[in-house]
Amino acid sequence: MTAITGVGAYAPRFRITAEAFEEAWGQFHAAGITEKAVPAADEDALTMGYEAATRALEAAAVDPSSVDWLAFASSRPPAAEEDLTARLGAMLALDEATTRQLFTGSTRAGTRALWAGMDAIGADATVGLVVAADAPKGDPDDGVDHAAGAGAAAFVLEGGASETHRSSGDGPTEIVDRAEYATPYPGTRFRNTGEDETQGLGVTQYDRSAFTETIGGAVDGLETDPEPDAVAIQAPDGKLPYRAAGAAGVGTDEIQAAATVHELGDLGAASVPVSLATALEDGAESVLAVAHGSGAGADAFVVESSGEVPAETTLEGDDTLSYAEYLRRRGVVTTGPPSGGGAYVSVPSWRRSIPQRYRLEAGRCPDCGALSFPPEGACTDCGSLVEYEPVELPGTGTVEAVTTISQGGAPPEFAEQQARSGDYAAAIVALEDEDGTESVSVSAMATDAAPEAFAVGERIETTIRRIYTQEGVTRYGFKVRPAG
């Protein structure tokens, strides 16, 4: 058996309603969706995956260094050809020898990663981390884009408990059965090489047949006869999951119990993982999770819980966008960065600073004990040229100074993001050490809130987001946000 010992989920704070689409287009092509999550200008599948993964690790009380198997899944990874598990592992402070696998190319990628994680735990891995994150995108006047949301989920996997421990009532949540089914249905949902937008042929009966046949086939392949409290099922819109209820042998109430599509939209490869995460957090004792990927294939899992699974989710939205703001944040109506000027940092130089940008690695002077960030050059307190002792800061602190960057005020490398996000805060913050007794002043961009939320003296925490892109390579690093 494979146990789920920690669950994390995340969705961006921005939302756009179905009414906003109807006002812009005269109709809304995503049935059953009232609103959906929209990624911020500095968010993508990788940063959302990081958000979900940190929550899962914290919920499970697992030290990142103990994770020896990592998977990242997305139908739309931010780089078409790059193993992003290397970046994600570094962001999470996993061991460099941790086995990593990348899953993409389908909305089924999230459950494919979960399947592989089970195999890894069944072989020689001791702690696995499965991360699924996605933000689908289609043509602006297409049902794919009208439904497209954004979100991520992560699961910590470990070996299952003994039968004695499970029967005591305080055992873990376990994946007790799984099955898959595939048959060719080309053209149901696809994105060709070099294209940015997902599309489909739009043949309703054909699409529905592919969805229901593969989901029904996967459920029929299970050795157990599930009687779930909740059903986490692939949700390209808010109606299709319910049309598959008969094929899956479940009721619509059970599907409703785990549904996230109505408020978050189509989450692509994260659709089933996020629904599974919410069902487990809500206390479901038995969950049937079924993912569908065009092509077409499906995975089915039976998850049973004999105790409360530790979970930490952040799925609520608090900032509703107009349709024009939605287009701007997605980069549809903004121009590229201005040519010339700006600070150039080569990729090799950026790589050398990754411990500071990802894990807030400061340095302690061995002569006077003062903290320095970044840990380079002479000690700012005693002036000694020393080999600093590495110290990882926990990522909490206080705003010391702040200003607002408005249109025309951003350096060229940040201009495109500013055009998409609008005004943002730039701050000097005092980042504290583990004990909270010392701090070091650091400059940082702010995120996740309007500039006025960052006043001197306010508490902040760090997260990882996109910083900017040069030479086609996106730089990621820490930003600050109001402490949660």
Side-chain angles (χ1 to χ4, degrees), residues 106 108 180-189 206-218 291-299:
S106 169
R108 188 185 172 196
E180 64 175 307
Y181 179 92
T183 187
Y185 274 90
T188 50
R189 178 171 173 146
Y206 182 75
D207 293 346
R208 190 177 301 167
S209 295
F211 192 77
T212 55
E213 179 182 346
T214 54
I215 283 176
H292 165 83
S294 58
D299 299 315

PDB file of all heavy atoms in Angstrom, residues 106 108 180-189 206-218 291-299:
ATOM      1  N   SER A 106      -0.404  15.977 -21.337  1.00  0.00           N
ATOM      2  CA  SER A 106      -1.776  15.519 -21.194  1.00  0.00           C
ATOM      3  C   SER A 106      -2.367  16.036 -19.894  1.00  0.00           C
ATOM      4  O   SER A 106      -1.649  16.264 -18.913  1.00  0.00           O
ATOM      5  CB  SER A 106      -1.825  13.984 -21.209  1.00  0.00           C
ATOM      6  OG  SER A 106      -3.100  13.497 -20.828  1.00  0.00           O
ATOM      7  N   ARG A 108      -3.910  14.196 -18.134  1.00  0.00           N
ATOM      8  CA  ARG A 108      -3.762  12.988 -17.307  1.00  0.00           C
ATOM      9  C   ARG A 108      -2.406  12.960 -16.605  1.00  0.00           C
ATOM     10  O   ARG A 108      -2.129  12.065 -15.811  1.00  0.00           O
ATOM     11  CB  ARG A 108      -3.931  11.775 -18.229  1.00  0.00           C
ATOM     12  CG  ARG A 108      -4.011  10.410 -17.603  1.00  0.00           C
ATOM     13  CD  ARG A 108      -4.056   9.372 -18.716  1.00  0.00           C
ATOM     14  NE  ARG A 108      -3.948   8.000 -18.235  1.00  0.00           N
ATOM     15  CZ  ARG A 108      -3.666   6.968 -19.018  1.00  0.00           C
ATOM     16  NH1 ARG A 108      -3.472   7.166 -20.323  1.00  0.00           N
ATOM     17  NH2 ARG A 108      -3.570   5.752 -18.526  1.00  0.00           N
ATOM     18  N   GLU A 180      -6.057   1.587 -15.133  1.00  0.00           N
ATOM     19  CA  GLU A 180      -6.008   2.522 -16.259  1.00  0.00           C
ATOM     20  C   GLU A 180      -6.662   1.908 -17.487  1.00  0.00           C
ATOM     21  O   GLU A 180      -6.833   0.683 -17.589  1.00  0.00           O
ATOM     22  CB  GLU A 180      -4.572   2.933 -16.577  1.00  0.00           C
ATOM     23  CG  GLU A 180      -3.666   1.814 -17.052  1.00  0.00           C
ATOM     24  CD  GLU A 180      -2.294   2.331 -17.450  1.00  0.00           C
ATOM     25  OE1 GLU A 180      -2.234   3.267 -18.269  1.00  0.00           O
ATOM     26  OE2 GLU A 180      -1.295   1.800 -16.955  1.00  0.00           O
ATOM     27  N   TYR A 181      -7.016   2.780 -18.410  1.00  0.00           N
ATOM     28  CA  TYR A 181      -7.675   2.344 -19.649  1.00  0.00           C
ATOM     29  C   TYR A 181      -7.347   3.370 -20.724  1.00  0.00           C
ATOM     30  O   TYR A 181      -7.343   4.579 -20.469  1.00  0.00           O
ATOM     31  CB  TYR A 181      -9.193   2.285 -19.430  1.00  0.00           C
ATOM     32  CG  TYR A 181      -9.996   1.859 -20.643  1.00  0.00           C
ATOM     33  CD1 TYR A 181     -10.318   0.527 -20.866  1.00  0.00           C
ATOM     34  CD2 TYR A 181     -10.455   2.817 -21.555  1.00  0.00           C
ATOM     35  CE1 TYR A 181     -11.085   0.147 -21.976  1.00  0.00           C
ATOM     36  CE2 TYR A 181     -11.215   2.452 -22.659  1.00  0.00           C
ATOM     37  CZ  TYR A 181     -11.518   1.108 -22.865  1.00  0.00           C
ATOM     38  OH  TYR A 181     -12.263   0.734 -23.952  1.00  0.00           O
ATOM     39  N   ALA A 182      -7.068   2.898 -21.932  1.00  0.00           N
ATOM     40  CA  ALA A 182      -6.767   3.819 -23.037  1.00  0.00           C
ATOM     41  C   ALA A 182      -7.266   3.256 -24.354  1.00  0.00           C
ATOM     42  O   ALA A 182      -7.207   2.045 -24.604  1.00  0.00           O
ATOM     43  CB  ALA A 182      -5.265   4.076 -23.126  1.00  0.00           C
ATOM     44  N   THR A 183      -7.786   4.143 -25.198  1.00  0.00           N
ATOM     45  CA  THR A 183      -8.199   3.782 -26.549  1.00  0.00           C
ATOM     46  C   THR A 183      -8.098   5.039 -27.403  1.00  0.00           C
ATOM     47  O   THR A 183      -8.305   6.149 -26.897  1.00  0.00           O
ATOM     48  CB  THR A 183      -9.647   3.230 -26.560  1.00  0.00           C
ATOM     49  OG1 THR A 183      -9.977   2.728 -27.857  1.00  0.00           O
ATOM     50  CG2 THR A 183     -10.655   4.301 -26.174  1.00  0.00           C
ATOM     51  N   PRO A 184      -7.734   4.931 -28.675  1.00  0.00           N
ATOM     52  CA  PRO A 184      -7.473   6.149 -29.465  1.00  0.00           C
ATOM     53  C   PRO A 184      -8.728   6.946 -29.825  1.00  0.00           C
ATOM     54  O   PRO A 184      -9.651   6.430 -30.438  1.00  0.00           O
ATOM     55  CB  PRO A 184      -6.776   5.615 -30.721  1.00  0.00           C
ATOM     56  CG  PRO A 184      -7.233   4.195 -30.833  1.00  0.00           C
ATOM     57  CD  PRO A 184      -7.396   3.704 -29.423  1.00  0.00           C
ATOM     58  N   TYR A 185      -8.721   8.225 -29.428  1.00  0.00           N
ATOM     59  CA  TYR A 185      -9.710   9.220 -29.822  1.00  0.00           C
ATOM     60  C   TYR A 185      -8.949  10.483 -30.201  1.00  0.00           C
ATOM     61  O   TYR A 185      -8.939  11.464 -29.454  1.00  0.00           O
ATOM     62  CB  TYR A 185     -10.673   9.533 -28.675  1.00  0.00           C
ATOM     63  CG  TYR A 185     -11.867   8.628 -28.541  1.00  0.00           C
ATOM     64  CD1 TYR A 185     -11.800   7.489 -27.754  1.00  0.00           C
ATOM     65  CD2 TYR A 185     -13.066   8.930 -29.171  1.00  0.00           C
ATOM     66  CE1 TYR A 185     -12.904   6.670 -27.592  1.00  0.00           C
ATOM     67  CE2 TYR A 185     -14.174   8.114 -29.023  1.00  0.00           C
ATOM     68  CZ  TYR A 185     -14.088   6.972 -28.229  1.00  0.00           C
ATOM     69  OH  TYR A 185     -15.181   6.158 -28.084  1.00  0.00           O
ATOM     70  N   PRO A 186      -8.273  10.486 -31.329  1.00  0.00           N
ATOM     71  CA  PRO A 186      -7.472  11.669 -31.685  1.00  0.00           C
ATOM     72  C   PRO A 186      -8.346  12.903 -31.918  1.00  0.00           C
ATOM     73  O   PRO A 186      -9.465  12.802 -32.408  1.00  0.00           O
ATOM     74  CB  PRO A 186      -6.761  11.243 -32.976  1.00  0.00           C
ATOM     75  CG  PRO A 186      -7.624  10.156 -33.546  1.00  0.00           C
ATOM     76  CD  PRO A 186      -8.199   9.437 -32.371  1.00  0.00           C
ATOM     77  N   GLY A 187      -7.812  14.062 -31.530  1.00  0.00           N
ATOM     78  CA  GLY A 187      -8.487  15.316 -31.817  1.00  0.00           C
ATOM     79  C   GLY A 187      -9.432  15.815 -30.755  1.00  0.00           C
ATOM     80  O   GLY A 187     -10.081  16.849 -30.943  1.00  0.00           O
ATOM     81  N   THR A 188      -9.528  15.099 -29.623  1.00  0.00           N
ATOM     82  CA  THR A 188     -10.462  15.562 -28.591  1.00  0.00           C
ATOM     83  C   THR A 188      -9.954  16.826 -27.892  1.00  0.00           C
ATOM     84  O   THR A 188     -10.711  17.711 -27.554  1.00  0.00           O
ATOM     85  CB  THR A 188     -10.705  14.465 -27.552  1.00  0.00           C
ATOM     86  OG1 THR A 188      -9.440  13.946 -27.099  1.00  0.00           O
ATOM     87  CG2 THR A 188     -11.527  13.343 -28.151  1.00  0.00           C
ATOM     88  N   ARG A 189      -8.674  16.922 -27.645  1.00  0.00           N
ATOM     89  CA  ARG A 189      -8.043  18.088 -27.031  1.00  0.00           C
ATOM     90  C   ARG A 189      -6.553  17.966 -27.296  1.00  0.00           C
ATOM     91  O   ARG A 189      -5.943  16.960 -26.949  1.00  0.00           O
ATOM     92  CB  ARG A 189      -8.315  18.125 -25.531  1.00  0.00           C
ATOM     93  CG  ARG A 189      -7.639  19.295 -24.787  1.00  0.00           C
ATOM     94  CD  ARG A 189      -8.150  19.359 -23.371  1.00  0.00           C
ATOM     95  NE  ARG A 189      -7.445  20.345 -22.557  1.00  0.00           N
ATOM     96  CZ  ARG A 189      -7.999  21.061 -21.602  1.00  0.00           C
ATOM     97  NH1 ARG A 189      -9.292  20.916 -21.333  1.00  0.00           N
ATOM     98  NH2 ARG A 189      -7.296  21.919 -20.881  1.00  0.00           N
ATOM     99  N   TYR A 206     -18.478  13.127 -29.989  1.00  0.00           N
ATOM    100  CA  TYR A 206     -17.176  12.455 -30.063  1.00  0.00           C
ATOM    101  C   TYR A 206     -16.378  12.689 -28.790  1.00  0.00           C
ATOM    102  O   TYR A 206     -15.827  11.761 -28.183  1.00  0.00           O
ATOM    103  CB  TYR A 206     -16.425  12.991 -31.281  1.00  0.00           C
ATOM    104  CG  TYR A 206     -15.068  12.395 -31.555  1.00  0.00           C
ATOM    105  CD1 TYR A 206     -14.943  11.115 -32.086  1.00  0.00           C
ATOM    106  CD2 TYR A 206     -13.912  13.134 -31.315  1.00  0.00           C
ATOM    107  CE1 TYR A 206     -13.692  10.584 -32.361  1.00  0.00           C
ATOM    108  CE2 TYR A 206     -12.654  12.612 -31.595  1.00  0.00           C
ATOM    109  CZ  TYR A 206     -12.549  11.339 -32.125  1.00  0.00           C
ATOM    110  OH  TYR A 206     -11.300  10.808 -32.404  1.00  0.00           O
ATOM    111  N   ASP A 207     -16.308  13.953 -28.336  1.00  0.00           N
ATOM    112  CA  ASP A 207     -15.591  14.288 -27.111  1.00  0.00           C
ATOM    113  C   ASP A 207     -16.200  13.582 -25.904  1.00  0.00           C
ATOM    114  O   ASP A 207     -15.481  13.053 -25.043  1.00  0.00           O
ATOM    115  CB  ASP A 207     -15.607  15.791 -26.870  1.00  0.00           C
ATOM    116  CG  ASP A 207     -14.800  16.565 -27.901  1.00  0.00           C
ATOM    117  OD1 ASP A 207     -14.026  15.928 -28.642  1.00  0.00           O
ATOM    118  OD2 ASP A 207     -14.952  17.805 -27.959  1.00  0.00           O
ATOM    119  N   ARG A 208     -17.520  13.558 -25.859  1.00  0.00           N
ATOM    120  CA  ARG A 208     -18.199  12.936 -24.721  1.00  0.00           C
ATOM    121  C   ARG A 208     -17.966  11.431 -24.703  1.00  0.00           C
ATOM    122  O   ARG A 208     -17.769  10.839 -23.633  1.00  0.00           O
ATOM    123  CB  ARG A 208     -19.689  13.250 -24.783  1.00  0.00           C
ATOM    124  CG  ARG A 208     -20.464  12.871 -23.530  1.00  0.00           C
ATOM    125  CD  ARG A 208     -21.913  13.295 -23.647  1.00  0.00           C
ATOM    126  NE  ARG A 208     -22.029  14.732 -23.848  1.00  0.00           N
ATOM    127  CZ  ARG A 208     -23.147  15.329 -24.231  1.00  0.00           C
ATOM    128  NH1 ARG A 208     -24.242  14.624 -24.482  1.00  0.00           N
ATOM    129  NH2 ARG A 208     -23.169  16.639 -24.378  1.00  0.00           N
ATOM    130  N   SER A 209     -17.966  10.816 -25.877  1.00  0.00           N
ATOM    131  CA  SER A 209     -17.713   9.373 -25.946  1.00  0.00           C
ATOM    132  C   SER A 209     -16.305   9.035 -25.463  1.00  0.00           C
ATOM    133  O   SER A 209     -16.102   8.063 -24.730  1.00  0.00           O
ATOM    134  CB  SER A 209     -17.899   8.882 -27.381  1.00  0.00           C
ATOM    135  OG  SER A 209     -19.239   9.019 -27.800  1.00  0.00           O
ATOM    136  N   ALA A 210     -15.324   9.850 -25.877  1.00  0.00           N
ATOM    137  CA  ALA A 210     -13.946   9.625 -25.432  1.00  0.00           C
ATOM    138  C   ALA A 210     -13.856   9.741 -23.915  1.00  0.00           C
ATOM    139  O   ALA A 210     -13.189   8.935 -23.256  1.00  0.00           O
ATOM    140  CB  ALA A 210     -13.018  10.636 -26.095  1.00  0.00           C
ATOM    141  N   PHE A 211     -14.529  10.729 -23.352  1.00  0.00           N
ATOM    142  CA  PHE A 211     -14.481  10.988 -21.915  1.00  0.00           C
ATOM    143  C   PHE A 211     -15.137   9.850 -21.135  1.00  0.00           C
ATOM    144  O   PHE A 211     -14.532   9.276 -20.215  1.00  0.00           O
ATOM    145  CB  PHE A 211     -15.193  12.310 -21.642  1.00  0.00           C
ATOM    146  CG  PHE A 211     -14.995  12.861 -20.269  1.00  0.00           C
ATOM    147  CD1 PHE A 211     -13.817  13.486 -19.915  1.00  0.00           C
ATOM    148  CD2 PHE A 211     -16.013  12.796 -19.329  1.00  0.00           C
ATOM    149  CE1 PHE A 211     -13.629  14.025 -18.644  1.00  0.00           C
ATOM    150  CE2 PHE A 211     -15.848  13.325 -18.061  1.00  0.00           C
ATOM    151  CZ  PHE A 211     -14.655  13.938 -17.715  1.00  0.00           C
ATOM    152  N   THR A 212     -16.346   9.511 -21.501  1.00  0.00           N
ATOM    153  CA  THR A 212     -17.081   8.511 -20.722  1.00  0.00           C
ATOM    154  C   THR A 212     -16.531   7.103 -20.920  1.00  0.00           C
ATOM    155  O   THR A 212     -16.485   6.320 -19.979  1.00  0.00           O
ATOM    156  CB  THR A 212     -18.576   8.538 -21.082  1.00  0.00           C
ATOM    157  OG1 THR A 212     -18.731   8.357 -22.499  1.00  0.00           O
ATOM    158  CG2 THR A 212     -19.204   9.860 -20.689  1.00  0.00           C
ATOM    159  N   GLU A 213     -16.102   6.755 -22.151  1.00  0.00           N
ATOM    160  CA  GLU A 213     -15.581   5.403 -22.370  1.00  0.00           C
ATOM    161  C   GLU A 213     -14.313   5.155 -21.569  1.00  0.00           C
ATOM    162  O   GLU A 213     -14.159   4.121 -20.922  1.00  0.00           O
ATOM    163  CB  GLU A 213     -15.294   5.148 -23.850  1.00  0.00           C
ATOM    164  CG  GLU A 213     -14.726   3.744 -24.080  1.00  0.00           C
ATOM    165  CD  GLU A 213     -14.374   3.451 -25.528  1.00  0.00           C
ATOM    166  OE1 GLU A 213     -14.792   4.202 -26.419  1.00  0.00           O
ATOM    167  OE2 GLU A 213     -13.659   2.448 -25.760  1.00  0.00           O
ATOM    168  N   THR A 214     -13.387   6.107 -21.616  1.00  0.00           N
ATOM    169  CA  THR A 214     -12.121   5.885 -20.913  1.00  0.00           C
ATOM    170  C   THR A 214     -12.303   5.931 -19.394  1.00  0.00           C
ATOM    171  O   THR A 214     -11.699   5.128 -18.674  1.00  0.00           O
ATOM    172  CB  THR A 214     -11.073   6.925 -21.345  1.00  0.00           C
ATOM    173  OG1 THR A 214     -11.595   8.240 -21.176  1.00  0.00           O
ATOM    174  CG2 THR A 214     -10.681   6.721 -22.796  1.00  0.00           C
ATOM    175  N   ILE A 215     -13.128   6.831 -18.906  1.00  0.00           N
ATOM    176  CA  ILE A 215     -13.372   6.886 -17.463  1.00  0.00           C
ATOM    177  C   ILE A 215     -14.070   5.614 -16.999  1.00  0.00           C
ATOM    178  O   ILE A 215     -13.685   5.008 -15.990  1.00  0.00           O
ATOM    179  CB  ILE A 215     -14.186   8.141 -17.112  1.00  0.00           C
ATOM    180  CG1 ILE A 215     -13.252   9.363 -17.133  1.00  0.00           C
ATOM    181  CG2 ILE A 215     -14.875   8.012 -15.753  1.00  0.00           C
ATOM    182  CD1 ILE A 215     -13.924  10.677 -16.908  1.00  0.00           C
ATOM    183  N   GLY A 216     -15.077   5.198 -17.738  1.00  0.00           N
ATOM    184  CA  GLY A 216     -15.758   3.958 -17.389  1.00  0.00           C
ATOM    185  C   GLY A 216     -14.830   2.761 -17.456  1.00  0.00           C
ATOM    186  O   GLY A 216     -14.870   1.862 -16.597  1.00  0.00           O
ATOM    187  N   GLY A 217     -13.957   2.715 -18.468  1.00  0.00           N
ATOM    188  CA  GLY A 217     -13.019   1.611 -18.603  1.00  0.00           C
ATOM    189  C   GLY A 217     -12.039   1.541 -17.450  1.00  0.00           C
ATOM    190  O   GLY A 217     -11.719   0.450 -16.954  1.00  0.00           O
ATOM    191  N   ALA A 218     -11.542   2.709 -17.002  1.00  0.00           N
ATOM    192  CA  ALA A 218     -10.600   2.724 -15.888  1.00  0.00           C
ATOM    193  C   ALA A 218     -11.275   2.264 -14.596  1.00  0.00           C
ATOM    194  O   ALA A 218     -10.711   1.465 -13.833  1.00  0.00           O
ATOM    195  CB  ALA A 218     -10.011   4.114 -15.712  1.00  0.00           C
ATOM    196  N   ALA A 291      -8.917  10.492 -13.625  1.00  0.00           N
ATOM    197  CA  ALA A 291      -8.415  11.526 -14.532  1.00  0.00           C
ATOM    198  C   ALA A 291      -8.534  11.060 -15.970  1.00  0.00           C
ATOM    199  O   ALA A 291      -8.358   9.879 -16.271  1.00  0.00           O
ATOM    200  CB  ALA A 291      -6.959  11.848 -14.208  1.00  0.00           C
ATOM    201  N   HIS A 292      -8.802  12.018 -16.858  1.00  0.00           N
ATOM    202  CA  HIS A 292      -8.909  11.740 -18.291  1.00  0.00           C
ATOM    203  C   HIS A 292      -7.922  12.623 -19.042  1.00  0.00           C
ATOM    204  O   HIS A 292      -7.767  13.806 -18.739  1.00  0.00           O
ATOM    205  CB  HIS A 292     -10.325  12.024 -18.786  1.00  0.00           C
ATOM    206  CG  HIS A 292     -10.443  12.111 -20.282  1.00  0.00           C
ATOM    207  ND1 HIS A 292     -10.563  10.997 -21.081  1.00  0.00           N
ATOM    208  CD2 HIS A 292     -10.449  13.181 -21.113  1.00  0.00           C
ATOM    209  CE1 HIS A 292     -10.654  11.383 -22.354  1.00  0.00           C
ATOM    210  NE2 HIS A 292     -10.579  12.710 -22.389  1.00  0.00           N
ATOM    211  N   GLY A 293      -7.254  12.026 -20.013  1.00  0.00           N
ATOM    212  CA  GLY A 293      -6.379  12.787 -20.884  1.00  0.00           C
ATOM    213  C   GLY A 293      -6.737  12.502 -22.325  1.00  0.00           C
ATOM    214  O   GLY A 293      -7.053  11.365 -22.696  1.00  0.00           O
ATOM    215  N   SER A 294      -6.725  13.547 -23.155  1.00  0.00           N
ATOM    216  CA  SER A 294      -7.092  13.350 -24.553  1.00  0.00           C
ATOM    217  C   SER A 294      -6.109  12.419 -25.215  1.00  0.00           C
ATOM    218  O   SER A 294      -4.946  12.316 -24.830  1.00  0.00           O
ATOM    219  CB  SER A 294      -7.139  14.697 -25.276  1.00  0.00           C
ATOM    220  OG  SER A 294      -5.898  15.358 -25.178  1.00  0.00           O
ATOM    221  N   GLY A 295      -6.646  11.769 -26.184  1.00  0.00           N
ATOM    222  CA  GLY A 295      -5.790  10.777 -26.875  1.00  0.00           C
ATOM    223  C   GLY A 295      -6.436   9.457 -27.179  1.00  0.00           C
ATOM    224  O   GLY A 295      -6.425   9.008 -28.296  1.00  0.00           O
ATOM    225  N   ALA A 296      -7.098   8.749 -26.251  1.00  0.00           N
ATOM    226  CA  ALA A 296      -7.618   9.172 -24.947  1.00  0.00           C
ATOM    227  C   ALA A 296      -7.348   8.060 -23.931  1.00  0.00           C
ATOM    228  O   ALA A 296      -7.410   6.876 -24.249  1.00  0.00           O
ATOM    229  CB  ALA A 296      -9.108   9.453 -25.016  1.00  0.00           C
ATOM    230  N   GLY A 297      -7.084   8.458 -22.669  1.00  0.00           N
ATOM    231  CA  GLY A 297      -6.842   7.480 -21.627  1.00  0.00           C
ATOM    232  C   GLY A 297      -7.302   8.008 -20.294  1.00  0.00           C
ATOM    233  O   GLY A 297      -7.574   9.202 -20.138  1.00  0.00           O
ATOM    234  N   ALA A 298      -7.401   7.116 -19.330  1.00  0.00           N
ATOM    235  CA  ALA A 298      -7.866   7.504 -18.004  1.00  0.00           C
ATOM    236  C   ALA A 298      -7.175   6.669 -16.940  1.00  0.00           C
ATOM    237  O   ALA A 298      -6.785   5.520 -17.173  1.00  0.00           O
ATOM    238  CB  ALA A 298      -9.382   7.347 -17.898  1.00  0.00           C
ATOM    239  N   ASP A 299      -7.011   7.258 -15.765  1.00  0.00           N
ATOM    240  CA  ASP A 299      -6.497   6.584 -14.578  1.00  0.00           C
ATOM    241  C   ASP A 299      -7.563   6.651 -13.499  1.00  0.00           C
ATOM    242  O   ASP A 299      -8.217   7.689 -13.328  1.00  0.00           O
ATOM    243  CB  ASP A 299      -5.241   7.276 -14.039  1.00  0.00           C
ATOM    244  CG  ASP A 299      -4.093   7.279 -15.031  1.00  0.00           C
ATOM    245  OD1 ASP A 299      -3.835   6.231 -15.630  1.00  0.00           O
ATOM    246  OD2 ASP A 299      -3.464   8.337 -15.196  1.00  0.00           O
TER     247      ASP A 299
END
